[in-house]
Amino acid sequence: MFKKDISAGAKSRVKSSVQRAIRTKVVETYPLLASHIDEIIPKKSQLDLLKLPDRVSLYALDNEPLFWQHMDDPLIPHLRVVHAFPACFSRIGIDRGAIRFVLSGATLMAPGLTSAGGRLPEANAELKEGEVAVIEAEGKEEACLVGQLRMGTEEIKEKKKGVVMDTGHYLGDGLWKMTID
């Protein structure tokens, strides 16, 4: 989605009622962020909404990107937020062979998760289709991709092939490199 360098379109301030709704939605979607929500979006701060190409909305605070949303999809955290609060998100792992493809913007395929180096959650922590997941690379400390799953983890384990995530925000993409003025 963000393969090319992007520039922000119109920048507008978010009304306080909308900002409260965003805070609530973030806590509903990512319950482990509840204790950190005042650090991420302080109550007295002013959120900005930036319009990006392909109907993407980016929410930023003090020129620091926080969350992005494609049309009516869920709010997805920027990788900088994921790196700041790594334990607050559902995580799955890819093997070493998939790293270069993910970092070049390719779709995430099931073999990268089901091979020996991949890591899927246990049965009690299954992720469903449409949920937001953070992708970590084998042998690396930081997350490399965040996006919405097109296939649940139970289905990934059964099929072992197919597209798992087709759009997302990865290290080095246009959203990562974008500067907000």
Side-chain angles (χ1 to χ4, degrees):
M1 178 172 280
F2 303 111
K3 283 185 182 182
K4 297 179 181 167
D5 290 341
I6 53 176
S7 58
K11 180 178 179 181
S12 59
R13 296 190 179 272
V14 175
K15 293 186 345 184
S16 61
S17 59
V18 174
Q19 186 166 328
R20 279 193 306 273
I22 290 170
R23 284 173 53 101
T24 304
K25 189 172 278 195
V26 167
V27 171
E28 285 174 6
T29 310
Y30 311 103
L32 296 174
L33 274 181
S35 60
H36 304 288
I37 193 67
D38 287 328
E39 288 178 61
I40 298 169
I41 309 173
K43 288 184 179 178
K44 297 292 181 182
S45 62
Q46 179 61 55
L47 264 183
D48 293 322
L49 168 66
L50 288 90
K51 297 290 185 181
L52 302 178
D54 300 325
R55 297 184 181 169
V56 175
S57 301
L58 175 68
Y59 295 99
L61 177 71
D62 299 328
N63 294 332
E64 194 64 36
L66 297 177
F67 295 93
W68 60 277
Q69 183 176 30
H70 180 257
M71 296 172 70
D72 290 332
D73 290 347
L75 285 168
I76 299 175
H78 192 279
L79 276 171
R80 286 181 171 73
V81 174
V82 173
H83 292 165
F85 305 100
C88 298
F89 301 97
S90 304
R91 310 172 92 70
I92 54 180
I94 57 172
D95 65 359
R96 291 185 184 276
I99 296 172
R100 68 184 178 125
F101 297 108
V102 167
L103 294 181
S104 64
T107 59
L108 179 61
M109 305 298 282
L113 299 167
T114 57
S115 65
R119 189 181 74 250
L120 289 168
E122 300 298 322
N124 61 347
E126 293 290 331
L127 298 174
K128 295 175 181 43
E129 179 181 349
E131 286 188 47
V132 175
V134 172
I135 312 300
E136 293 179 323
E138 178 186 11
K140 306 294 180 195
E141 293 177 20
E142 302 290 341
C144 62
L145 173 69
V146 62
Q148 195 173 8
L149 294 174
R150 281 191 44 196
M151 186 187 299
T153 53
E154 187 65 39
E155 188 180 354
I156 295 169
K157 289 176 187 175
E158 290 171 11
K159 289 186 176 178
K160 298 188 181 198
K161 60 182 175 181
V163 176
V164 174
M165 187 182 297
D166 56 359
T167 59
H169 165 42
Y170 58 92
L171 285 175
D173 68 0
L175 186 58
W176 178 262
K177 294 176 186 174
M178 188 176 87
T179 56
I180 303 171
D181 296 330

